[in-house]
Amino acid sequence: IKNRLLFSLSNIKERKDRTINGYEKMSEEHRIQFIKLKHTMLLIQEFCEGHNIMTQEVIRQQESSHNISINILDQLVNIFQSQCEISQMLIEMDEFEIEILISTMEVLIESIQGPCPLNQLFLVNKDGFPNCLDKIIQSNFNPMLLSSTSSSSSSSSSSSLLIIKVKSIALQLLSSCLEGRDNLTIHSILAAELDPAGFDLFRQYANMLIIKSQSKFDKEYITLSAYQEIEEYTLQAFSNVKNIMLELRLISLFEEKENELLKDNKKNNAADMLDEVITTIEISWKDRIESVSFPIPRDVYYLTSKTREDFLLETDLSTAEKRMKNLIVKAPVFMAEMQQIYSLSSQSKIYLFIHHNIVNIKWSMYALVVLLNLNIIMASYGEGSTDGYPSIQAGFKHLDKDEYRTSLAISLVLALLNLMGYVVIVCFLAITEVPIIIRQSDDYVQACLDDDAMKEEDYRDFGAFTWWFVTLIFNVLFIVMHLSNYPGKENQGLYLFLIFGINLPWTLSCIRNYIVVPNSSQTRIFCVIYDVLITKPFFRNHVILMVCSINGFTQSSWFPLMLMDIMNNSKLLANVARSVTDNAVALALVFYLFVCTVAIYAQFGLEYFEDWFVYDGDADDEEAVGCHSVVSCFVLIFYNGVPAGSLADVLDNISNRYKDTEGQDPNTYLQRVLFDLSFFIWVGILLFNIITGLMVDGFGALREEDNNRQDILENTCFVCGFTRSMYDDVPNFRGPTFDYHSNVDHLFWTYVYFYVYLKRKDKTSLSGVESYVWKQITDNNLGWIPTRASAAIQNSNAEVVDNEKEVDPIMIEQMADDMISIKHVIASIDKKVTKKE
């Protein structure tokens, strides 16, 4: 390798002598030698791949018993410097020579990323190395020469791409020299040799390149792929510039140079663009906080506000660890949504319009629903009436009066507009949500198939059908008992309700739980449909609304159901619904208590007060209809007694039976009083107050939870766990405010963007810090997340006094349970010892 590099170095010098006075076409012999050099570079690059510090150091120095060491890294730097030590050489380079220069810089990058501190120091200490990089960054090269030597059909875009690529690689090499340093030695060397004005000029050049490329793409002078490649390298270069500037600002000399530059250039549009397309996050790496800049993925702005709000509403905010763990776990879901919406928005302007205006469209739709129902209410007079019309369909068939034709036309137009609106929204949600569910399902299946620890029998869970069999047996026995006790009086509606209203949904739920991994086409289709309807309530609700809109043409009673769409539109009413759903189990148990209570009172009432039951307790009719079976008494009490909270409307008034006390049994009177009073106390007071208490507690808990969440989001850093008071009390620190720290430096959504960026990036192109973060993510390790630390505090040498440890309430409960268990064990041991004694 050494001999190859030395020979290549001589060829490069010979080429330099030939082109010093002007461009000369490369001979075939030189081209062959340069191809061999490129292959040698690739070999060394593969040797250093993976940021293995041992192999990186081997190319600089080898340990040998003969004290012989070959410094391959030195040879590489010599080749690099010989290619660009004179600015004129860069200008006279053709496409092939620039490719060789890029290969040289790429192998140097691989030799220091990770980082490899000794290799970094070696490069920067090499005379003229920073100056060579500065020449590449500021060189204009020769676009006309590159266009004439390009083999691409689009020579203009090819030359622009090649120039921005070589500059981007040079900036990446410079950034890699500063990566992961635990001291400022290299920073000081580069700060002395580099000028901020050079980076400013590059940003202006890159900014103009993006604008020109966008214009050429709009005019179809270049292809989409060519424009995207130019944009990708430009953004990567912007990221490296920002990383370099952040690191070199730690040196006061460089910061002074930059301040002088800012005084001269008060308004820097290139820097403004840099802030728009590049963002920075802080990570914990090698016991220090490292700032990492990266291009913002173009589709992140398509993550819907509802998704963001739902995440903040549902995630556990109690500790920074739980917050960030939930954020990283949800990141693939966010990525799938933003990618799908961005793709559809790019393909259709109609979709883009609906996406940006979905809230306004929904409220406009609801206004039409209200108008439609108002018109239907005014035109409805009931069956048999000659006024109005019972439904739109019936109105067209039987309407003879001209005065209602306008009303019918209004109803028809409003109904059609509503139907079209719901169809559009359902289609919009379908093409948005369904592909996301499909992609998530396929990714999950692939992950399970790739998991060697997961066996094929784990793909199905037969335990999911345990309660299904119990429910099936219960329903079958109920139907059998009903047929046995009511011969010839089959209740088909009841049987259909048990089958399709209870057993069918429960069966579908059990089947979904049974399919752990949908690894066949049939199970995949079933799981996708089920998951869309269950996990996407917004889509499901609008499908139901669309069905109501269709049925409303034949039966007007369907139209008022559409008024419940307000639950989808109003956040306040959504919280009201949450207070019910969050207490659904408790409310269901209370309802079951009502059923049990009514069954008990129906049984005892029939036994002791059969002739007292009437459908109107205040009726004077001596032949008032009563009940003569437990079922009929159950229905009577449930229908009349429970809503009133007493039996006054179910049993005959006691005063009617005891107008004349002679001949009446006083025990019956007492029994009736106790019967009525116990029902009133148990149902009218206790059970109804339990429901009221549950609802009030539910509202109170929601309000308290919302207040706590708001307090955490406003006064605690989502990422690192700093509280406002703790951050403000950091001694000897005069950095950014807490709000800037929380909303800019540690804005948690940027960590999602960084995940998306790493997920899409070629893993062989990751820098050292990026490789570290990605490995931590794949290992489900949050060690890369800062904990009560920031780059600003670190760079000011301030010490954080951590007196506010975050306490996990679940951990406290677990500790309390453990203490009780220990106490019981000690008591048990004490008894045994006492017994032996």
Side-chain angles (χ1 to χ4, degrees), residues 142-161:
N142 192 335
M144 297 301 295
L145 178 60
L146 294 177
S147 299
S148 64
T149 60
S150 173
S151 59
S152 172
S153 58
S154 180
S155 57
S156 175
S157 63
S158 177
S159 62
S160 298
L161 174 61

Side-chain angles (χ1 to χ4, degrees), residues 572-614:
L572 179 62
L573 291 179
N575 286 332
V576 173
R578 277 181 58 209
S579 68
V580 176
T581 55
D582 289 352
N583 292 301
V585 175
L587 291 172
L589 290 174
V590 173
F591 177 77
Y592 180 71
L593 272 180
F594 272 108
V595 173
C596 295
T597 299
V598 173
I600 292 170
Y601 276 84
Q603 186 72 53
F604 277 88
L606 185 68
E607 182 75 22
Y608 296 102
F609 305 105
E610 180 179 359
D611 58 336
W612 290 67
F613 277 100
V614 292

Side-chain angles (χ1 to χ4, degrees), residues 116-147:
C116 182
L118 295 178
N119 285 4
Q120 288 175 319
L121 195 59
F122 180 85
L123 288 187
V124 175
N125 280 327
K126 191 77 173 176
D127 290 339
F129 177 78
N131 191 35
C132 287
L133 288 173
D134 192 43
K135 284 187 176 71
I136 297 172
I137 294 169
Q138 298 191 47
S139 175
N140 294 324
F141 290 87
N142 192 335
M144 297 301 295
L145 178 60
L146 294 177
S147 299

Side-chain angles (χ1 to χ4, degrees), residues 245-482:
M245 299 291 281
L246 286 171
E247 293 292 334
L248 293 184
R249 282 178 191 142
L250 300 176
I251 306 301
S252 58
L253 174 63
F254 188 86
E255 191 172 16
E256 290 171 5
K257 292 180 184 179
E258 188 179 16
N259 290 335
E260 288 295 326
L261 179 65
L262 291 174
K263 287 180 183 178
D264 298 334
N265 303 326
K266 293 183 179 180
K267 182 66 176 175
N268 192 330
N269 294 327
D272 292 343
M273 180 190 175
L274 184 64
D275 293 331
E276 292 176 4
V277 298
I278 305 297
T279 190
T280 303
I281 67 167
E282 296 180 357
I283 67 165
S284 177
W285 187 38
K286 296 183 179 295
D287 298 324
R288 66 188 302 272
I289 303 301
E290 187 89 0
S291 297
V292 182
S293 299
F294 64 97
I296 301 174
R298 67 185 71 191
D299 54 358
V300 299
Y301 302 108
Y302 290 85
L303 186 64
T304 61
S305 58
K306 185 178 186 305
T307 300
R308 296 172 188 261
E309 292 169 2
D310 289 346
F311 169 75
L312 292 177
L313 186 65
E314 296 168 3
T315 196
D316 186 353
L317 301 179
S318 57
T319 65
E321 181 181 1
K322 289 183 177 180
R323 294 191 292 266
M324 291 305 294
K325 183 177 181 180
N326 291 334
L327 185 72
I328 300 303
V329 168
K330 278 284 189 179
V333 179
F334 299 148
M335 179 178 170
E337 178 181 304
M338 62 179 69
Q339 184 177 347
Q340 176 67 13
I341 295 176
Y342 173 74
S343 175
L344 293 170
S345 298
S346 303
Q347 298 171 20
S348 171
K349 292 184 178 179
I350 296 176
Y351 181 93
L352 181 62
F353 174 81
I354 297 174
H355 169 70
H356 285 312
N357 298 280
I358 185 67
V359 175
N360 294 330
I361 292 173
K362 281 292 300 161
W363 279 111
S364 300
M365 286 283 300
Y366 192 75
L368 292 177
V369 169
V370 172
L371 289 173
L372 172 62
N373 277 279
L374 286 174
N375 197 63
I376 290 295
I377 290 170
M378 295 177 190
S380 299
Y381 286 87
E383 188 177 355
S385 175
T386 58
D387 294 324
Y389 46 91
S391 69
I392 294 175
Q393 183 186 46
F396 276 100
K397 286 184 177 180
H398 307 294
L399 186 61
D400 297 326
K401 296 184 178 180
D402 292 337
E403 58 266 27
Y404 288 105
R405 293 190 183 279
T406 303
S407 172
L408 183 61
I410 293 173
S411 295
L412 178 62
V413 171
L414 291 174
L416 288 173
L417 288 174
N418 272 287
L419 178 59
M420 290 171 58
Y422 283 124
V423 169
V424 169
I425 292 175
V426 167
C427 292
F428 169 81
L429 294 174
I431 61 176
T432 303
E433 306 285 5
V434 175
I436 294 174
I437 292 293
I438 293 174
R439 186 180 295 114
Q440 291 173 352
S441 177
D442 292 345
D443 291 345
Y444 172 72
V445 171
Q446 190 59 49
C448 293
L449 293 176
D450 295 339
D451 187 359
D452 296 332
M454 196 171 192
K455 301 178 181 178
E456 191 169 348
E457 53 265 26
D458 297 331
Y459 295 172
R460 300 291 182 267
D461 180 15
F462 291 95
F465 287 106
T466 302
W467 283 102
W468 178 80
F469 283 111
V470 174
T471 307
L472 179 64
I473 293 170
F474 180 89
N475 287 341
V476 170
L477 288 177
F478 180 86
I479 293 173
V480 171
M481 288 187 296
H482 189 273

Side-chain angles (χ1 to χ4, degrees), residues 463-522:
F465 287 106
T466 302
W467 283 102
W468 178 80
F469 283 111
V470 174
T471 307
L472 179 64
I473 293 170
F474 180 89
N475 287 341
V476 170
L477 288 177
F478 180 86
I479 293 173
V480 171
M481 288 187 296
H482 189 273
L483 291 171
S484 302
N485 288 284
Y486 297 96
K489 297 181 180 179
E490 296 86 353
N491 191 332
Q492 298 293 337
L494 177 62
Y495 305 154
L496 292 174
F497 171 75
L498 291 174
I499 295 172
F500 295 103
I502 296 179
N503 211 57
L504 180 60
W506 182 241
T507 301
L508 295 175
S509 175
C510 292
I511 293 173
R512 181 63 186 91
N513 293 330
Y514 163 73
I515 305 171
V516 179
V517 180
N519 57 333
S520 66
S521 58
Q522 295 85 354

